[in-house]
Amino acid sequence: MTDQVEQVSSAVSEAVTEKVSEHVSFLQWFWHNVLWKPGTGAMLWGGLLRLIFALLVWKLGTVIIRKITRLAEKPGVKVPMDKTMQRFMLNLLKALLYGLLVIAVVAIVGVPMASVTAVIASTGVTLGLAMQGSLSNLAGGIMLTLARPFRIGDYIETGSVGGTVGEISLFYTVLISIDNKKITVPNGSLMNANITNYSAHEKRRLDMTFLVGREADIAKVLKLLRTAIEAEKAVLLPPDAPAAPFVALTELQERGQVFTLRVWCKTKEYWDLNYALTGRIAEAFQREHIALPAQSYRALTEKEER
């Protein structure tokens, strides 16, 4: 029994030794004929070193780009341009820096620049044909930044959407609606659309109309409207306003009389003044028993109903 165990153990040992010898022989051959061979070894080691160096350059480059962008975004840093242009130029600078970093890494790895240029050119043509809409948005973003029909923080309306401008990027403009919804509008369509900017000027004119009954005393209604205007401190008067407050009977309708009120105020106080005047005038009409137009009704015959 002992002899059989020794024979088995000896056979296993010889098999293991043979396998190890084969692997060692292969490693020795690979070491001498590949890794340290004058041509192949130098190429492999050189490629490995270039790859490691390229990774280090990519890591260092991304860190530097992030630090540059963060430095430009610091509140204490004074940049000779407004916030809208600053944000757009920052995004453009970031894209250019990353593009240069990619080209530098590719060059370090050893890819011929002629091949890189050819690939970039062909890729540019292909992307240009496939991304015509995106390029239109990019051109729109550049034009919006140069023409500046609005700035970050302005309240605008375009098409069926409206909101405060939160960001103007290379391809899209972000609006924040009154109920805090995020609306993303492509710059291409925004540049070709009608834009109403409610924050473009420091002062705005508030126009209000009131429909009262035909029996209402015109002089009394005008006096109530003027009194309501005088009670509001937000109403601007010349020379702070382009024109004095305007109150007049402007239209006679079948249902009643239309009175128009126009006053100037600061843009940021527009809605507060609108609500304040509406409430004050409504209370005055109720207090002075200014009648509102009566609802009209028409009786239908049985034949008309059918």
PDB file of all heavy atoms in Angstrom, residues 199-236:
ATOM      1  N   SER A 199     -38.853  92.095 -18.750  1.00  0.00           N
ATOM      2  CA  SER A 199     -37.879  92.656 -17.812  1.00  0.00           C
ATOM      3  C   SER A 199     -36.825  93.510 -18.503  1.00  0.00           C
ATOM      4  O   SER A 199     -35.815  93.856 -17.892  1.00  0.00           O
ATOM      5  CB  SER A 199     -37.187  91.516 -17.041  1.00  0.00           C
ATOM      6  OG  SER A 199     -38.127  90.677 -16.418  1.00  0.00           O
ATOM      7  N   ALA A 200     -37.057  93.851 -19.754  1.00  0.00           N
ATOM      8  CA  ALA A 200     -36.037  94.579 -20.510  1.00  0.00           C
ATOM      9  C   ALA A 200     -35.788  95.978 -19.955  1.00  0.00           C
ATOM     10  O   ALA A 200     -34.671  96.486 -20.027  1.00  0.00           O
ATOM     11  CB  ALA A 200     -36.442  94.664 -21.987  1.00  0.00           C
ATOM     12  N   HIS A 201     -36.835  96.612 -19.396  1.00  0.00           N
ATOM     13  CA  HIS A 201     -36.704  97.978 -18.890  1.00  0.00           C
ATOM     14  C   HIS A 201     -37.070  98.027 -17.405  1.00  0.00           C
ATOM     15  O   HIS A 201     -37.778  97.150 -16.890  1.00  0.00           O
ATOM     16  CB  HIS A 201     -37.604  98.925 -19.677  1.00  0.00           C
ATOM     17  CG  HIS A 201     -37.316  98.929 -21.147  1.00  0.00           C
ATOM     18  ND1 HIS A 201     -36.193  99.515 -21.689  1.00  0.00           N
ATOM     19  CD2 HIS A 201     -38.013  98.409 -22.201  1.00  0.00           C
ATOM     20  CE1 HIS A 201     -36.206  99.360 -23.007  1.00  0.00           C
ATOM     21  NE2 HIS A 201     -37.297  98.689 -23.337  1.00  0.00           N
ATOM     22  N   GLU A 202     -36.594  99.045 -16.750  1.00  0.00           N
ATOM     23  CA  GLU A 202     -36.840  99.177 -15.318  1.00  0.00           C
ATOM     24  C   GLU A 202     -38.272  99.607 -15.012  1.00  0.00           C
ATOM     25  O   GLU A 202     -38.759  99.409 -13.898  1.00  0.00           O
ATOM     26  CB  GLU A 202     -35.862 100.178 -14.700  1.00  0.00           C
ATOM     27  CG  GLU A 202     -34.398  99.737 -14.762  1.00  0.00           C
ATOM     28  CD  GLU A 202     -33.484 100.736 -14.095  1.00  0.00           C
ATOM     29  OE1 GLU A 202     -34.004 101.799 -13.651  1.00  0.00           O
ATOM     30  OE2 GLU A 202     -32.281 100.478 -14.019  1.00  0.00           O
ATOM     31  N   LYS A 203     -38.950 100.214 -15.999  1.00  0.00           N
ATOM     32  CA  LYS A 203     -40.308 100.719 -15.763  1.00  0.00           C
ATOM     33  C   LYS A 203     -41.270 100.110 -16.773  1.00  0.00           C
ATOM     34  O   LYS A 203     -40.904  99.851 -17.922  1.00  0.00           O
ATOM     35  CB  LYS A 203     -40.341 102.255 -15.871  1.00  0.00           C
ATOM     36  CG  LYS A 203     -39.395 102.961 -14.914  1.00  0.00           C
ATOM     37  CD  LYS A 203     -39.313 104.438 -15.207  1.00  0.00           C
ATOM     38  CE  LYS A 203     -38.268 105.111 -14.316  1.00  0.00           C
ATOM     39  NZ  LYS A 203     -38.116 106.549 -14.627  1.00  0.00           N
ATOM     40  N   ARG A 204     -42.498  99.899 -16.316  1.00  0.00           N
ATOM     41  CA  ARG A 204     -43.549  99.369 -17.192  1.00  0.00           C
ATOM     42  C   ARG A 204     -44.832 100.159 -16.987  1.00  0.00           C
ATOM     43  O   ARG A 204     -45.060 100.742 -15.915  1.00  0.00           O
ATOM     44  CB  ARG A 204     -43.825  97.892 -16.885  1.00  0.00           C
ATOM     45  CG  ARG A 204     -42.796  96.945 -17.419  1.00  0.00           C
ATOM     46  CD  ARG A 204     -43.227  95.513 -17.174  1.00  0.00           C
ATOM     47  NE  ARG A 204     -44.469  95.199 -17.875  1.00  0.00           N
ATOM     48  CZ  ARG A 204     -45.124  94.053 -17.738  1.00  0.00           C
ATOM     49  NH1 ARG A 204     -44.666  93.122 -16.926  1.00  0.00           N
ATOM     50  NH2 ARG A 204     -46.246  93.848 -18.412  1.00  0.00           N
ATOM     51  N   ARG A 205     -45.669 100.137 -18.015  1.00  0.00           N
ATOM     52  CA  ARG A 205     -46.974 100.777 -17.900  1.00  0.00           C
ATOM     53  C   ARG A 205     -48.035  99.723 -17.599  1.00  0.00           C
ATOM     54  O   ARG A 205     -48.120  98.706 -18.285  1.00  0.00           O
ATOM     55  CB  ARG A 205     -47.326 101.522 -19.188  1.00  0.00           C
ATOM     56  CG  ARG A 205     -48.514 102.482 -19.025  1.00  0.00           C
ATOM     57  CD  ARG A 205     -48.856 103.155 -20.329  1.00  0.00           C
ATOM     58  NE  ARG A 205     -49.517 102.221 -21.255  1.00  0.00           N
ATOM     59  CZ  ARG A 205     -49.923 102.567 -22.468  1.00  0.00           C
ATOM     60  NH1 ARG A 205     -49.706 103.803 -22.915  1.00  0.00           N
ATOM     61  NH2 ARG A 205     -50.513 101.683 -23.257  1.00  0.00           N
ATOM     62  N   LEU A 206     -48.842 100.009 -16.600  1.00  0.00           N
ATOM     63  CA  LEU A 206     -49.937  99.120 -16.220  1.00  0.00           C
ATOM     64  C   LEU A 206     -51.230  99.642 -16.840  1.00  0.00           C
ATOM     65  O   LEU A 206     -51.626 100.778 -16.591  1.00  0.00           O
ATOM     66  CB  LEU A 206     -50.060  99.060 -14.695  1.00  0.00           C
ATOM     67  CG  LEU A 206     -51.270  98.321 -14.132  1.00  0.00           C
ATOM     68  CD1 LEU A 206     -51.251  96.851 -14.534  1.00  0.00           C
ATOM     69  CD2 LEU A 206     -51.326  98.452 -12.612  1.00  0.00           C
ATOM     70  N   ASP A 207     -51.862  98.822 -17.668  1.00  0.00           N
ATOM     71  CA  ASP A 207     -53.131  99.172 -18.305  1.00  0.00           C
ATOM     72  C   ASP A 207     -54.248  98.337 -17.687  1.00  0.00           C
ATOM     73  O   ASP A 207     -54.148  97.104 -17.637  1.00  0.00           O
ATOM     74  CB  ASP A 207     -53.076  98.916 -19.805  1.00  0.00           C
ATOM     75  CG  ASP A 207     -52.081  99.828 -20.505  1.00  0.00           C
ATOM     76  OD1 ASP A 207     -51.420 100.626 -19.820  1.00  0.00           O
ATOM     77  OD2 ASP A 207     -51.960  99.734 -21.739  1.00  0.00           O
ATOM     78  N   MET A 208     -55.315  99.010 -17.263  1.00  0.00           N
ATOM     79  CA  MET A 208     -56.450  98.315 -16.667  1.00  0.00           C
ATOM     80  C   MET A 208     -57.736  98.884 -17.247  1.00  0.00           C
ATOM     81  O   MET A 208     -57.827 100.088 -17.521  1.00  0.00           O
ATOM     82  CB  MET A 208     -56.456  98.472 -15.136  1.00  0.00           C
ATOM     83  CG  MET A 208     -55.168  98.035 -14.464  1.00  0.00           C
ATOM     84  SD  MET A 208     -55.180  98.290 -12.667  1.00  0.00           S
ATOM     85  CE  MET A 208     -56.318  96.992 -12.187  1.00  0.00           C
ATOM     86  N   THR A 209     -58.719  98.032 -17.448  1.00  0.00           N
ATOM     87  CA  THR A 209     -60.029  98.483 -17.936  1.00  0.00           C
ATOM     88  C   THR A 209     -61.112  97.990 -16.989  1.00  0.00           C
ATOM     89  O   THR A 209     -61.004  96.900 -16.412  1.00  0.00           O
ATOM     90  CB  THR A 209     -60.306  97.944 -19.349  1.00  0.00           C
ATOM     91  OG1 THR A 209     -60.224  96.512 -19.341  1.00  0.00           O
ATOM     92  CG2 THR A 209     -59.304  98.499 -20.349  1.00  0.00           C
ATOM     93  N   PHE A 210     -62.167  98.819 -16.848  1.00  0.00           N
ATOM     94  CA  PHE A 210     -63.279  98.493 -15.956  1.00  0.00           C
ATOM     95  C   PHE A 210     -64.587  98.740 -16.702  1.00  0.00           C
ATOM     96  O   PHE A 210     -64.791  99.805 -17.284  1.00  0.00           O
ATOM     97  CB  PHE A 210     -63.227  99.348 -14.685  1.00  0.00           C
ATOM     98  CG  PHE A 210     -61.942  99.183 -13.909  1.00  0.00           C
ATOM     99  CD1 PHE A 210     -60.864 100.036 -14.148  1.00  0.00           C
ATOM    100  CD2 PHE A 210     -61.810  98.177 -12.977  1.00  0.00           C
ATOM    101  CE1 PHE A 210     -59.681  99.881 -13.451  1.00  0.00           C
ATOM    102  CE2 PHE A 210     -60.622  98.021 -12.277  1.00  0.00           C
ATOM    103  CZ  PHE A 210     -59.563  98.869 -12.516  1.00  0.00           C
ATOM    104  N   LEU A 211     -65.466  97.747 -16.658  1.00  0.00           N
ATOM    105  CA  LEU A 211     -66.768  97.854 -17.300  1.00  0.00           C
ATOM    106  C   LEU A 211     -67.829  98.033 -16.214  1.00  0.00           C
ATOM    107  O   LEU A 211     -67.992  97.186 -15.332  1.00  0.00           O
ATOM    108  CB  LEU A 211     -67.060  96.586 -18.113  1.00  0.00           C
ATOM    109  CG  LEU A 211     -68.407  96.525 -18.831  1.00  0.00           C
ATOM    110  CD1 LEU A 211     -68.519  97.648 -19.863  1.00  0.00           C
ATOM    111  CD2 LEU A 211     -68.586  95.166 -19.485  1.00  0.00           C
ATOM    112  N   VAL A 212     -68.519  99.175 -16.258  1.00  0.00           N
ATOM    113  CA  VAL A 212     -69.580  99.461 -15.282  1.00  0.00           C
ATOM    114  C   VAL A 212     -70.891  99.678 -16.041  1.00  0.00           C
ATOM    115  O   VAL A 212     -70.921  99.793 -17.263  1.00  0.00           O
ATOM    116  CB  VAL A 212     -69.231 100.702 -14.427  1.00  0.00           C
ATOM    117  CG1 VAL A 212     -67.930 100.484 -13.670  1.00  0.00           C
ATOM    118  CG2 VAL A 212     -69.138 101.947 -15.310  1.00  0.00           C
ATOM    119  N   GLY A 213     -71.967  99.736 -15.282  1.00  0.00           N
ATOM    120  CA  GLY A 213     -73.280  99.891 -15.891  1.00  0.00           C
ATOM    121  C   GLY A 213     -73.452 101.226 -16.602  1.00  0.00           C
ATOM    122  O   GLY A 213     -72.759 102.207 -16.322  1.00  0.00           O
ATOM    123  N   ARG A 214     -74.403 101.300 -17.542  1.00  0.00           N
ATOM    124  CA  ARG A 214     -74.634 102.511 -18.313  1.00  0.00           C
ATOM    125  C   ARG A 214     -75.211 103.626 -17.447  1.00  0.00           C
ATOM    126  O   ARG A 214     -75.110 104.807 -17.789  1.00  0.00           O
ATOM    127  CB  ARG A 214     -75.590 102.212 -19.471  1.00  0.00           C
ATOM    128  CG  ARG A 214     -75.008 101.227 -20.491  1.00  0.00           C
ATOM    129  CD  ARG A 214     -75.990 100.998 -21.636  1.00  0.00           C
ATOM    130  NE  ARG A 214     -76.199 102.216 -22.410  1.00  0.00           N
ATOM    131  CZ  ARG A 214     -75.453 102.602 -23.435  1.00  0.00           C
ATOM    132  NH1 ARG A 214     -74.427 101.853 -23.811  1.00  0.00           N
ATOM    133  NH2 ARG A 214     -75.725 103.703 -24.099  1.00  0.00           N
ATOM    134  N   GLU A 215     -75.812 103.283 -16.315  1.00  0.00           N
ATOM    135  CA  GLU A 215     -76.411 104.294 -15.447  1.00  0.00           C
ATOM    136  C   GLU A 215     -75.405 104.901 -14.478  1.00  0.00           C
ATOM    137  O   GLU A 215     -75.730 105.831 -13.738  1.00  0.00           O
ATOM    138  CB  GLU A 215     -77.562 103.679 -14.648  1.00  0.00           C
ATOM    139  CG  GLU A 215     -78.711 103.142 -15.489  1.00  0.00           C
ATOM    140  CD  GLU A 215     -78.401 101.772 -16.064  1.00  0.00           C
ATOM    141  OE1 GLU A 215     -77.398 101.167 -15.620  1.00  0.00           O
ATOM    142  OE2 GLU A 215     -79.143 101.311 -16.958  1.00  0.00           O
ATOM    143  N   ALA A 216     -74.173 104.384 -14.433  1.00  0.00           N
ATOM    144  CA  ALA A 216     -73.189 104.883 -13.472  1.00  0.00           C
ATOM    145  C   ALA A 216     -72.797 106.324 -13.788  1.00  0.00           C
ATOM    146  O   ALA A 216     -72.698 106.725 -14.963  1.00  0.00           O
ATOM    147  CB  ALA A 216     -71.957 103.992 -13.479  1.00  0.00           C
ATOM    148  N   ASP A 217     -72.554 107.120 -12.727  1.00  0.00           N
ATOM    149  CA  ASP A 217     -72.144 108.517 -12.867  1.00  0.00           C
ATOM    150  C   ASP A 217     -70.703 108.557 -13.358  1.00  0.00           C
ATOM    151  O   ASP A 217     -69.787 108.093 -12.668  1.00  0.00           O
ATOM    152  CB  ASP A 217     -72.287 109.226 -11.516  1.00  0.00           C
ATOM    153  CG  ASP A 217     -72.037 110.723 -11.625  1.00  0.00           C
ATOM    154  OD1 ASP A 217     -71.385 111.150 -12.600  1.00  0.00           O
ATOM    155  OD2 ASP A 217     -72.475 111.451 -10.727  1.00  0.00           O
ATOM    156  N   ILE A 218     -70.472 109.116 -14.532  1.00  0.00           N
ATOM    157  CA  ILE A 218     -69.132 109.126 -15.129  1.00  0.00           C
ATOM    158  C   ILE A 218     -68.150 109.892 -14.267  1.00  0.00           C
ATOM    159  O   ILE A 218     -67.031 109.417 -13.993  1.00  0.00           O
ATOM    160  CB  ILE A 218     -69.192 109.733 -16.549  1.00  0.00           C
ATOM    161  CG1 ILE A 218     -70.062 108.862 -17.456  1.00  0.00           C
ATOM    162  CG2 ILE A 218     -67.790 109.868 -17.134  1.00  0.00           C
ATOM    163  CD1 ILE A 218     -70.251 109.432 -18.843  1.00  0.00           C
ATOM    164  N   ALA A 219     -68.514 111.074 -13.813  1.00  0.00           N
ATOM    165  CA  ALA A 219     -67.612 111.886 -12.992  1.00  0.00           C
ATOM    166  C   ALA A 219     -67.264 111.166 -11.691  1.00  0.00           C
ATOM    167  O   ALA A 219     -66.120 111.213 -11.210  1.00  0.00           O
ATOM    168  CB  ALA A 219     -68.258 113.238 -12.697  1.00  0.00           C
ATOM    169  N   LYS A 220     -68.211 110.482 -11.105  1.00  0.00           N
ATOM    170  CA  LYS A 220     -67.978 109.770  -9.853  1.00  0.00           C
ATOM    171  C   LYS A 220     -67.005 108.605 -10.055  1.00  0.00           C
ATOM    172  O   LYS A 220     -66.095 108.385  -9.242  1.00  0.00           O
ATOM    173  CB  LYS A 220     -69.302 109.261  -9.307  1.00  0.00           C
ATOM    174  CG  LYS A 220     -69.223 108.664  -7.918  1.00  0.00           C
ATOM    175  CD  LYS A 220     -70.618 108.304  -7.415  1.00  0.00           C
ATOM    176  CE  LYS A 220     -70.570 107.793  -5.987  1.00  0.00           C
ATOM    177  NZ  LYS A 220     -71.926 107.444  -5.498  1.00  0.00           N
ATOM    178  N   VAL A 221     -67.174 107.873 -11.153  1.00  0.00           N
ATOM    179  CA  VAL A 221     -66.280 106.751 -11.435  1.00  0.00           C
ATOM    180  C   VAL A 221     -64.854 107.256 -11.677  1.00  0.00           C
ATOM    181  O   VAL A 221     -63.879 106.693 -11.170  1.00  0.00           O
ATOM    182  CB  VAL A 221     -66.785 105.950 -12.651  1.00  0.00           C
ATOM    183  CG1 VAL A 221     -65.765 104.884 -13.048  1.00  0.00           C
ATOM    184  CG2 VAL A 221     -68.120 105.308 -12.331  1.00  0.00           C
ATOM    185  N   LEU A 222     -64.713 108.350 -12.443  1.00  0.00           N
ATOM    186  CA  LEU A 222     -63.383 108.906 -12.694  1.00  0.00           C
ATOM    187  C   LEU A 222     -62.713 109.347 -11.402  1.00  0.00           C
ATOM    188  O   LEU A 222     -61.503 109.147 -11.203  1.00  0.00           O
ATOM    189  CB  LEU A 222     -63.489 110.071 -13.673  1.00  0.00           C
ATOM    190  CG  LEU A 222     -63.913 109.726 -15.106  1.00  0.00           C
ATOM    191  CD1 LEU A 222     -64.099 110.987 -15.923  1.00  0.00           C
ATOM    192  CD2 LEU A 222     -62.893 108.815 -15.764  1.00  0.00           C
ATOM    193  N   LYS A 223     -63.472 109.959 -10.508  1.00  0.00           N
ATOM    194  CA  LYS A 223     -62.919 110.402  -9.230  1.00  0.00           C
ATOM    195  C   LYS A 223     -62.460 109.217  -8.401  1.00  0.00           C
ATOM    196  O   LYS A 223     -61.389 109.258  -7.760  1.00  0.00           O
ATOM    197  CB  LYS A 223     -63.963 111.212  -8.477  1.00  0.00           C
ATOM    198  CG  LYS A 223     -63.449 111.757  -7.147  1.00  0.00           C
ATOM    199  CD  LYS A 223     -64.511 112.602  -6.452  1.00  0.00           C
ATOM    200  CE  LYS A 223     -63.990 113.132  -5.123  1.00  0.00           C
ATOM    201  NZ  LYS A 223     -65.008 113.940  -4.404  1.00  0.00           N
ATOM    202  N   LEU A 224     -63.243 108.129  -8.367  1.00  0.00           N
ATOM    203  CA  LEU A 224     -62.841 106.940  -7.610  1.00  0.00           C
ATOM    204  C   LEU A 224     -61.555 106.340  -8.163  1.00  0.00           C
ATOM    205  O   LEU A 224     -60.678 105.917  -7.400  1.00  0.00           O
ATOM    206  CB  LEU A 224     -63.971 105.896  -7.660  1.00  0.00           C
ATOM    207  CG  LEU A 224     -65.248 106.239  -6.892  1.00  0.00           C
ATOM    208  CD1 LEU A 224     -66.293 105.164  -7.111  1.00  0.00           C
ATOM    209  CD2 LEU A 224     -64.959 106.402  -5.399  1.00  0.00           C
ATOM    210  N   LEU A 225     -61.426 106.337  -9.468  1.00  0.00           N
ATOM    211  CA  LEU A 225     -60.209 105.787 -10.075  1.00  0.00           C
ATOM    212  C   LEU A 225     -58.995 106.651  -9.751  1.00  0.00           C
ATOM    213  O   LEU A 225     -57.918 106.127  -9.423  1.00  0.00           O
ATOM    214  CB  LEU A 225     -60.390 105.665 -11.594  1.00  0.00           C
ATOM    215  CG  LEU A 225     -61.451 104.655 -12.075  1.00  0.00           C
ATOM    216  CD1 LEU A 225     -61.540 104.673 -13.593  1.00  0.00           C
ATOM    217  CD2 LEU A 225     -61.133 103.253 -11.594  1.00  0.00           C
ATOM    218  N   ARG A 226     -59.148 107.976  -9.837  1.00  0.00           N
ATOM    219  CA  ARG A 226     -58.025 108.865  -9.509  1.00  0.00           C
ATOM    220  C   ARG A 226     -57.643 108.750  -8.042  1.00  0.00           C
ATOM    221  O   ARG A 226     -56.452 108.787  -7.691  1.00  0.00           O
ATOM    222  CB  ARG A 226     -58.398 110.308  -9.853  1.00  0.00           C
ATOM    223  CG  ARG A 226     -58.585 110.550 -11.349  1.00  0.00           C
ATOM    224  CD  ARG A 226     -58.674 112.032 -11.643  1.00  0.00           C
ATOM    225  NE  ARG A 226     -58.922 112.285 -13.058  1.00  0.00           N
ATOM    226  CZ  ARG A 226     -60.115 112.560 -13.563  1.00  0.00           C
ATOM    227  NH1 ARG A 226     -61.181 112.646 -12.768  1.00  0.00           N
ATOM    228  NH2 ARG A 226     -60.269 112.743 -14.866  1.00  0.00           N
ATOM    229  N   THR A 227     -58.639 108.620  -7.158  1.00  0.00           N
ATOM    230  CA  THR A 227     -58.360 108.473  -5.727  1.00  0.00           C
ATOM    231  C   THR A 227     -57.589 107.179  -5.451  1.00  0.00           C
ATOM    232  O   THR A 227     -56.654 107.159  -4.636  1.00  0.00           O
ATOM    233  CB  THR A 227     -59.675 108.486  -4.935  1.00  0.00           C
ATOM    234  OG1 THR A 227     -60.376 109.692  -5.202  1.00  0.00           O
ATOM    235  CG2 THR A 227     -59.404 108.363  -3.444  1.00  0.00           C
ATOM    236  N   ALA A 228     -57.968 106.102  -6.135  1.00  0.00           N
ATOM    237  CA  ALA A 228     -57.260 104.834  -5.964  1.00  0.00           C
ATOM    238  C   ALA A 228     -55.814 104.946  -6.424  1.00  0.00           C
ATOM    239  O   ALA A 228     -54.898 104.407  -5.792  1.00  0.00           O
ATOM    240  CB  ALA A 228     -57.980 103.728  -6.735  1.00  0.00           C
ATOM    241  N   ILE A 229     -55.579 105.691  -7.507  1.00  0.00           N
ATOM    242  CA  ILE A 229     -54.216 105.880  -8.010  1.00  0.00           C
ATOM    243  C   ILE A 229     -53.384 106.665  -7.007  1.00  0.00           C
ATOM    244  O   ILE A 229     -52.229 106.337  -6.711  1.00  0.00           O
ATOM    245  CB  ILE A 229     -54.243 106.584  -9.373  1.00  0.00           C
ATOM    246  CG1 ILE A 229     -54.836 105.653 -10.428  1.00  0.00           C
ATOM    247  CG2 ILE A 229     -52.839 107.023  -9.788  1.00  0.00           C
ATOM    248  CD1 ILE A 229     -55.035 106.307 -11.775  1.00  0.00           C
ATOM    249  N   GLU A 230     -53.960 107.732  -6.462  1.00  0.00           N
ATOM    250  CA  GLU A 230     -53.227 108.583  -5.524  1.00  0.00           C
ATOM    251  C   GLU A 230     -52.871 107.843  -4.240  1.00  0.00           C
ATOM    252  O   GLU A 230     -51.899 108.197  -3.562  1.00  0.00           O
ATOM    253  CB  GLU A 230     -54.063 109.827  -5.203  1.00  0.00           C
ATOM    254  CG  GLU A 230     -54.264 110.759  -6.400  1.00  0.00           C
ATOM    255  CD  GLU A 230     -55.263 111.871  -6.105  1.00  0.00           C
ATOM    256  OE1 GLU A 230     -55.835 111.852  -4.993  1.00  0.00           O
ATOM    257  OE2 GLU A 230     -55.489 112.727  -6.976  1.00  0.00           O
ATOM    258  N   ALA A 231     -53.636 106.804  -3.896  1.00  0.00           N
ATOM    259  CA  ALA A 231     -53.385 106.071  -2.659  1.00  0.00           C
ATOM    260  C   ALA A 231     -52.255 105.046  -2.788  1.00  0.00           C
ATOM    261  O   ALA A 231     -51.798 104.504  -1.771  1.00  0.00           O
ATOM    262  CB  ALA A 231     -54.666 105.366  -2.203  1.00  0.00           C
ATOM    263  N   GLU A 232     -51.802 104.780  -3.998  1.00  0.00           N
ATOM    264  CA  GLU A 232     -50.763 103.771  -4.201  1.00  0.00           C
ATOM    265  C   GLU A 232     -49.403 104.439  -4.391  1.00  0.00           C
ATOM    266  O   GLU A 232     -49.201 105.206  -5.327  1.00  0.00           O
ATOM    267  CB  GLU A 232     -51.099 102.901  -5.424  1.00  0.00           C
ATOM    268  CG  GLU A 232     -52.312 102.018  -5.251  1.00  0.00           C
ATOM    269  CD  GLU A 232     -52.125 100.977  -4.154  1.00  0.00           C
ATOM    270  OE1 GLU A 232     -50.957 100.603  -3.877  1.00  0.00           O
ATOM    271  OE2 GLU A 232     -53.138 100.551  -3.571  1.00  0.00           O
ATOM    272  N   LYS A 233     -48.470 104.147  -3.494  1.00  0.00           N
ATOM    273  CA  LYS A 233     -47.137 104.739  -3.560  1.00  0.00           C
ATOM    274  C   LYS A 233     -46.308 104.171  -4.719  1.00  0.00           C
ATOM    275  O   LYS A 233     -45.323 104.796  -5.140  1.00  0.00           O
ATOM    276  CB  LYS A 233     -46.402 104.501  -2.252  1.00  0.00           C
ATOM    277  CG  LYS A 233     -47.045 105.193  -1.046  1.00  0.00           C
ATOM    278  CD  LYS A 233     -46.242 104.936   0.212  1.00  0.00           C
ATOM    279  CE  LYS A 233     -46.880 105.641   1.418  1.00  0.00           C
ATOM    280  NZ  LYS A 233     -46.127 105.404   2.662  1.00  0.00           N
ATOM    281  N   ALA A 234     -46.681 102.989  -5.216  1.00  0.00           N
ATOM    282  CA  ALA A 234     -45.905 102.378  -6.295  1.00  0.00           C
ATOM    283  C   ALA A 234     -46.127 103.073  -7.638  1.00  0.00           C
ATOM    284  O   ALA A 234     -45.359 102.855  -8.578  1.00  0.00           O
ATOM    285  CB  ALA A 234     -46.261 100.900  -6.424  1.00  0.00           C
ATOM    286  N   VAL A 235     -47.162 103.922  -7.740  1.00  0.00           N
ATOM    287  CA  VAL A 235     -47.430 104.640  -8.989  1.00  0.00           C
ATOM    288  C   VAL A 235     -46.384 105.730  -9.172  1.00  0.00           C
ATOM    289  O   VAL A 235     -46.170 106.561  -8.276  1.00  0.00           O
ATOM    290  CB  VAL A 235     -48.852 105.238  -8.979  1.00  0.00           C
ATOM    291  CG1 VAL A 235     -49.063 106.092 -10.231  1.00  0.00           C
ATOM    292  CG2 VAL A 235     -49.897 104.128  -8.895  1.00  0.00           C
ATOM    293  N   LEU A 236     -45.722 105.736 -10.325  1.00  0.00           N
ATOM    294  CA  LEU A 236     -44.687 106.730 -10.610  1.00  0.00           C
ATOM    295  C   LEU A 236     -45.311 107.953 -11.287  1.00  0.00           C
ATOM    296  O   LEU A 236     -46.204 107.836 -12.125  1.00  0.00           O
ATOM    297  CB  LEU A 236     -43.624 106.134 -11.527  1.00  0.00           C
ATOM    298  CG  LEU A 236     -42.822 104.943 -10.973  1.00  0.00           C
ATOM    299  CD1 LEU A 236     -41.835 104.447 -12.011  1.00  0.00           C
ATOM    300  CD2 LEU A 236     -42.103 105.325  -9.680  1.00  0.00           C
TER     301      LEU A 236
END
